[in-house]
Amino acid sequence: MIRTIDRAIHPPGLKVTGRSFDNIADRFDDTRAYPTEVMDLIIRNLSERLTTGGRYLDAGIGTGRFAEPLQRIGFDITGVDISRRMLAKARAKGTENVILGDICALPFQDKAFEHTMSVHVMHLIADWRCAISEIARVTRGELLSVGFYKEDSEVEEFRRFYLDVCRDLGHEIHHAGVMERDLPEIIKPDRDETLTRHIHPVDVQTMIDNYETRTFSDQWDVPDDVHEGAMDALMERYGGLNQLISRERITLIAWRAERLGALSPDQTKTVV
Ligand SMILES: C[S@@+](CC[C@H](N)C(=O)[O-])C[C@H]1O[C@@H](n2cnc3c(N)ncnc32)[C@H](O)[C@@H]1O
């Protein structure tokens, strides 16, 4: 069932339009982990959408967080990513069919895949409309994504505090593209279903360490002096605390590809 495509070499002239996760590949799985029951729920819901028995694409597959368990069940999934080191991690976990490539220039024929999934990727791509159009080109059925909605919580306050201090020190943090969780406001989905609300304690020292070492992509462009100032402020406010509560709503979002194909590169209005 699973074919092996072994082309993880840098294609000559690969155009890179997103943020490669090469520099975080070693720590990605540890710092983005969800409990087994949450992952199982997401995988079960994704697998219920992948019912047609065809080929599927994971655009921005990363370390294979979603593709690898789905392949293990028997789904024929090909993954594309611009990060050589994330793909190496995926392979080390047993993920097959991984290709180094850019979502904005997918090396596949029109309608090559039944469905495409793309999770936590569009915020990294400035020309995300082009990425969505390209996914629509190679997909017959649906684009599937998982939305991670950060609800008001102590952990969200921590995150906002870092952003606010950076802004006060002269650096406005923003994502290059758009978070998948915000896409439904721009392109109305065909399905947007809450899977669970994930409420859990987070160790404060671990959060401080993750921020200190710039684990999150929105920190990568923060100038050193601003980052140091924000870390001092975080330490003053949160150092010595043990745990903070995190609240997240996790959703499964689906758009029919034929509707996404209509998205022009400069589209700014809601597509209904
Ligand atoms: C936050 S990770 C998410 C990985 C995986 N989808 C997951 O949820 O675990 C984002 C991934 O998108 C990749 N990426 C960013 N821009 C890309 C592009 N233009 N084409 C392909 N991959 C891209 C990064 O290298 C990284 O592996």
Side-chain angles (χ1 to χ4, degrees):
M1 176 95 188
I2 295 175
R3 285 164 300 107
T4 301
I5 300 172
D6 196 358
R7 282 198 274 145
I9 47 166
H10 214 294
L14 169 68
K15 196 178 118 218
V16 172
T17 55
R19 288 308 291 255
S20 165
F21 269 44
D22 272 352
N23 64 341
I24 195 71
D26 287 340
R27 289 187 294 141
F28 184 83
D29 282 347
D30 288 343
T31 53
R32 271 67 166 185
Y34 282 88
T36 310
E37 63 271 19
V38 174
M39 281 306 288
D40 287 351
L41 181 73
I42 296 172
I43 296 301
R44 195 168 63 246
N45 276 274
L46 280 170
S47 64
E48 282 167 7
R49 304 295 296 173
L50 309 181
T51 50
T52 45
R55 289 177 71 199
Y56 305 108
L57 174 67
D58 188 342
I61 186 175
T63 60
R65 188 162 59 141
F66 299 103
E68 190 274 330
L70 287 165
Q71 285 183 345
R72 238 185 302 129
I73 299 172
F75 289 105
D76 181 355
I77 299 178
T78 298
V80 168
D81 203 286
I82 50 166
S83 166
R84 191 190 298 269
R85 296 191 62 212
M86 291 290 271
L87 292 182
K89 290 281 169 193
R91 284 159 173 255
K93 291 196 296 192
T95 319
E96 302 194 31
N97 304 348
V98 295
I99 297 175
L100 191 69
D102 189 331
I103 298 172
C104 293
L106 288 168
F108 307 112
Q109 293 183 345
D110 292 359
K111 306 206 182 303
F113 297 96
E114 192 56 44
H115 298 308
T116 293
M117 59 183 187
S118 191
V119 182
H120 216 43
V121 178
M122 291 303 146
H123 62 297
L124 303 165
I125 305 177
D127 196 354
W128 60 269
R129 291 177 183 83
C130 181
I132 298 264
S133 294
E134 187 61 351
I135 287 172
R137 180 184 68 75
V138 302
T139 308
R140 286 190 291 276
E142 290 179 329
L143 166 61
L144 298 166
S145 193
V146 181
F148 297 93
Y149 292 83
K150 312 287 181 201
E151 299 187 328
D152 283 344
S153 71
E154 292 168 346
V155 164
E156 189 54 12
E157 275 169 31
F158 178 107
R159 199 183 68 81
R160 282 202 197 118
F161 184 69
Y162 180 88
L163 303 183
D164 289 346
V165 177
C166 286
R167 184 185 307 113
D168 291 346
L169 294 176
H171 180 82
E172 185 85 40
I173 290 183
H174 64 273
H175 294 291
V178 64
M179 303 293 284
E180 279 100 358
R181 62 173 183 244
D182 296 328
L183 259 181
E185 284 173 28
I186 305 170
I187 317 166
K188 194 169 174 229
D190 294 289
R191 184 190 182 99
D192 189 356
E193 178 193 345
T194 297
L195 301 182
T196 188
R197 284 185 74 227
H198 179 41
I199 302 171
H200 61 113
V202 178
D203 179 69
V204 173
Q205 191 55 50
T206 304
M207 283 186 70
I208 289 175
D209 292 346
N210 286 340
Y211 268 78
E212 175 74 44
T213 50
R214 298 180 186 251
T215 302
F216 306 106
S217 60
D218 59 359
Q219 296 185 277
W220 296 346
D221 290 333
V222 178
D224 286 348
D225 58 332
V226 173
H227 174 66
E228 279 160 26
M231 287 313 303
D232 287 347
L234 269 183
M235 281 303 294
E236 198 177 314
R237 184 157 174 161
Y238 289 99
L241 295 183
N242 286 330
Q243 287 187 332
L244 298 176
I245 298 296
S246 167
R247 291 174 202 275
E248 226 175 336
R249 187 167 63 89
I250 302 177
T251 66
L252 184 70
I253 319 168
W255 297 263
R256 273 178 295 125
E258 66 195 39
R259 291 183 49 238
L260 300 173
L263 194 68
S264 68
D266 61 354
Q267 185 126 20
T268 52
K269 295 200 195 82
T270 301
V271 178
V272 289

